[in-house]
């Protein structure tokens, strides 16, 4: 197995496909997707464009849909939810379809939508994703960070490195033997530096600083930093639609 890390959607190769693509947006889209599906949402539909989200949501039964939208870290006006992982409780999402658009995470997901297998990962579900990749006979994988408007994301790279080390431990392999590019090697080193204090890394990151400026997001940081607190693998079952399988 060789894993390439693409720190942003723009870094994804313009040609070719991996056996599987894993998209990471620790703060907060893929963390939120994991908790929403764990808490009983029947599906999460992801959209980079808001007009496409509104059209799709309009076709769903009103009592079975929730609109979740964020831009710049803040909830969009007129949406049921923003993008907080602690807001998608069972009481809110059980039995509902989520229609989600975020600043970067949903754009990253659309960028790799054509891959044979698309999964989402955060710090919460590293072991579950590593097991899926191992049992899925993945020979060549991409890990794609969501970044911020085309820029590098410390927190997404941290989780990419964490996934690399989790996969290496599961395979009994040296992590460097799994690395398909320098970016993957660097992400692995980042995890070795911060693995004992992931929340501090999230708060230090540019987007973590942005969220702290926007208000008290302590519960979000605790949730996003909780390593292996979830055993779910959000999986693309149809283009742009994620479920537990
Ligand atoms: C993103 O898409 O960049 C993030 O999910 C933004 C956020 O929810 O803070």
């Amino acid at each position: 197995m060789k894993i390439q890390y693409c720190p942003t959607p723009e870094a994804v190769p313009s040609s070719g496909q991996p056996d599987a693509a894993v998209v990471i947006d620790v703060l907060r889209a893929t963390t939120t997707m994991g908790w929403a599906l764990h808490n009983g949402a029947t599906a999460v539909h992801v959209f980079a464009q808001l007009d496409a989200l509104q059209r799709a949501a309009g076709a769903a039964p009103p009592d079975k849909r929730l609109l979740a939208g964020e831009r710049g870290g803040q909830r969009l006006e007129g949406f049921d939810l923003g993008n907080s992982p602690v807001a998608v409780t069972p009481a809110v999402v059980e039995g509902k379809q989520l229609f989600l658009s975020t600043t970067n995470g949903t754009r990253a997901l659309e960028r790799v939508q054509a891959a044979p297998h698309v999964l989402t990962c955060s710090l919460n579900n590293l072991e579950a994703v590593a097991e899926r990749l191992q049992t899925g006979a993945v020979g060549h994988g991409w890990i794609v960070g969501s970044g911020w408007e085309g820029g590098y994301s410390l927190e997404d790279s941290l989780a990419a490195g964490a996934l690399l080390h989790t996969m290496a431990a599961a395979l009994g392999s040296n992590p460097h033997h799994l690395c398909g590019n320098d970016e993957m090697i660097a992400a692995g080193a980042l995890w070795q530096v911060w693995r004992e204090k992931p929340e501090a890394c999230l708060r230090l990151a540019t987007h973590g600083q942005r969220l702290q400026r926007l208000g008290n997001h302590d519960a979000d940081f605790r949730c996003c930093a909780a390593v292996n607190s979830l055993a779910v693998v959000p999986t693309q079952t149809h283009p742009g639609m994620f479920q537990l399988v």
Side-chain angles (χ1 to χ4, degrees):
M1 182 188 298
K2 284 294 183 187
I3 306 291
Q4 276 179 270
Y5 176 47
C6 310
T8 65
E10 289 75 11
V12 169
S14 55
S15 61
Q17 287 293 350
D19 299 319
V22 180
V23 175
I24 293 176
D25 184 1
V26 169
L27 292 174
R28 301 168 288 181
T30 57
T31 300
T32 298
M33 290 173 71
W35 282 102
L37 291 167
H38 170 78
N39 286 336
T42 55
V44 180
H45 304 269
V46 298
F47 303 86
Q49 303 302 323
L50 293 176
D51 55 350
L53 180 149
Q54 295 287 4
R55 283 195 302 273
D63 62 333
K64 293 294 183 187
R65 74 181 179 221
L66 287 168
L67 277 60
E70 166 277 332
R71 288 294 184 273
Q74 300 189 82
R75 172 172 161 173
L76 289 173
E77 193 173 334
F79 278 60
D80 303 301
L81 297 166
N83 191 26
S84 169
V86 300
V88 290
T89 62
V92 171
V93 304
E94 190 155 24
K96 303 280 180 62
Q97 297 184 68
L98 240 65
F99 293 81
L100 175 69
S101 181
T102 70
T103 308
N104 305 282
T106 50
R107 197 163 57 82
L109 286 163
E110 280 196 3
R111 180 68 186 81
V112 295
Q113 193 176 91
H117 301 284
V118 183
L119 313 175
T120 72
C121 186
S122 67
L123 288 173
N124 299 162
N125 63 338
L126 298 164
E127 288 176 348
V129 171
E131 183 183 355
R132 175 72 68 82
L133 292 173
Q134 191 180 347
T135 55
V138 172
H140 171 214
W142 292 345
I143 299 177
V144 180
S146 299
W148 186 270
E149 297 179 346
Y152 177 87
S153 156
L154 184 69
E155 70 273 15
D156 293 348
S157 300
L158 177 74
L163 180 56
L164 170 74
H165 280 271
T166 304
M167 285 192 289
L171 292 167
S173 163
N174 178 326
H176 293 157
H177 295 166
L178 301 178
C179 293
N181 62 1
D182 290 356
E183 293 88 335
M184 191 74 264
I185 296 170
L190 186 65
W191 175 245
Q192 289 178 305
V193 170
W194 288 97
R195 63 187 303 155
E196 300 305 325
K197 45 189 186 302
E199 183 171 337
C201 184
L202 269 51
R203 288 179 179 272
L204 180 65
T206 302
H207 188 45
Q209 299 270 345
R210 180 181 294 108
L211 287 175
Q212 291 172 89
R213 286 196 303 271
L214 288 172
N216 182 339
H217 285 84
D218 290 351
D220 281 15
F221 280 110
R222 277 194 301 276
C223 178
C224 293
V227 173
N228 290 317
S229 53
L230 272 181
V232 297
V233 181
T235 305
Q236 183 174 259
T237 53
H238 299 84
M241 179 178 177
F242 287 79
Q243 296 178 289
L244 300 187
V245 297

